[in-house]
Amino acid sequence: MTVALETRNLVKRFGAFMATNDVSLSVRQGARHALIGPNGAGKTTLINLLTGALTPSSGQVLLGGEDITNLPAHVRVGRGLSRTFQINQLFGDFTPLESMMLAIGEREGHGWRAWKPLSRDREVADEAAQLLERFRLVDTMGVPTALLPYGKQRLLEIALAIATRPRVLLLDEPAAGVPEEERHEVLSIVRELPPDVTVVLIEHDMDLVFSFADRISVLAAGSLFAEGTVEEISKDRHVKAIYLGEDA
């Protein structure tokens, strides 16, 4: 098994509070790996440690076997580790096409050209159009992002992450806040993500988790509480007790 993303004895303390407690996690290449747990379990802290937004108190983060523990976030993106956020981080005045071309230009090392007529760059424009089509955003490619339905904004954020050509993509609650009538489109796109991209999904929607993941890790109180297949986790009485609120 080739390991795409790994943590070794990862610890994060905030004063006396242990937010992440000795977490050792291994995600195989090409996996659809879900990370679940109750509120306050340490999921967001763990993602921030993986992406470089936080520095661990101790332990390691490895991407494709390479130690990236001390690398800044933008360098990790360049190495193939991208993420989305619970609340989208988009430029409201940009259109989806402009946002996509900026992301592609930055990936290719000439993001500054976004302030010039990037539409003249045929290769960038073609790739942007293809990604917008894949993520069902062609009809709104010329609309300012702030005016898009929230479901479309979530799709755009995922598309921008894919534009970086990640080896590993971290999806932080991609369906959060999306109205029910738009959720099916977002969930469909999540399930159709490229198979060569390893995906780690943080999600509270268990229907999405069970339909998407091939392996699930459960966090509780900052520690790795359980891990297994969808079937194993769905039947684990201890997981039901701490996460689903059922009597063990």
Side-chain angles (χ1 to χ4, degrees):
M1 180 186 72
T2 302
V3 176
L5 183 65
E6 183 180 4
T7 68
R8 296 178 181 172
N9 307 110
L10 204 59
V11 172
K12 181 59 181 179
R13 298 184 185 88
F14 296 99
F17 176 64
M18 186 86 75
T20 304
N21 184 13
D22 198 33
V23 173
S24 293
L25 178 69
S26 182
V27 181
R28 65 172 179 80
Q29 185 174 313
R32 298 296 186 256
H33 197 119
L35 184 63
I36 68 172
N39 290 331
K43 303 185 297 297
T44 297
T45 299
L46 179 57
I47 289 297
N48 286 334
L49 292 170
L50 294 174
T51 58
L54 288 174
T55 301
S57 303
S58 62
Q60 292 178 289
V61 179
L62 295 94
L63 179 66
E66 177 186 7
D67 191 337
I68 62 170
T69 309
N70 297 312
L71 295 182
H74 71 279
V75 175
R76 299 186 196 206
V77 173
R79 300 286 177 90
L81 179 63
S82 293
R83 73 172 293 182
T84 64
F85 294 82
Q86 289 182 30
I87 301 174
N88 70 54
Q89 309 286 309
L90 302 170
F91 294 110
D93 293 335
F94 279 30
T95 67
L97 179 59
E98 290 168 339
S99 298
M100 193 65 66
M101 294 180 73
L102 177 60
I104 295 169
E106 186 66 30
R107 185 197 71 209
E108 296 300 317
H110 47 72
W112 60 272
R113 290 172 58 189
W115 306 111
K116 297 184 178 182
L118 258 179
S119 56
R120 295 178 184 172
D121 191 327
R122 195 71 263 157
E123 290 184 4
V124 172
D126 287 347
E127 183 180 347
Q130 290 170 8
L131 281 167
L132 290 170
E133 182 175 10
R134 179 192 296 180
F135 286 87
R136 305 174 193 174
L137 292 164
V138 171
D139 292 344
T140 56
M141 64 191 301
V143 178
T145 297
L147 301 180
L148 296 179
Y150 194 65
K152 293 292 187 183
Q153 292 182 24
R154 300 299 281 184
L155 289 176
L156 177 58
E157 188 175 23
I158 299 171
L160 291 170
I162 290 294
T164 68
R165 293 182 180 170
R167 290 186 283 164
V168 178
L169 176 61
L170 308 176
L171 294 177
D172 195 350
E173 298 191 39
V178 178
E180 189 62 37
E181 62 271 17
E182 299 173 37
R183 284 174 64 84
H184 72 280
E185 186 173 34
V186 175
L187 303 187
S188 175
I189 288 293
V190 168
R191 295 186 188 105
E192 294 169 5
L193 286 170
D196 58 330
V197 178
T198 302
V199 180
V200 178
L201 172 75
I202 298 179
E203 186 53 66
H204 285 289
D205 185 328
M206 298 310 295
D207 288 337
L208 173 55
V209 169
F210 290 154
S211 66
F212 177 80
D214 49 42
R215 193 161 186 83
I216 299 174
S217 296
V218 185
L219 283 179
S223 298
L224 191 60
F225 179 80
E227 189 170 274
T229 65
V230 170
E231 183 177 8
E232 289 168 343
I233 294 300
S234 65
K235 293 180 178 179
D236 189 311
R237 66 190 184 95
H238 298 293
V239 172
K240 290 179 180 180
I242 66 115
Y243 186 71
L244 301 178
E246 297 183 17
D247 190 346

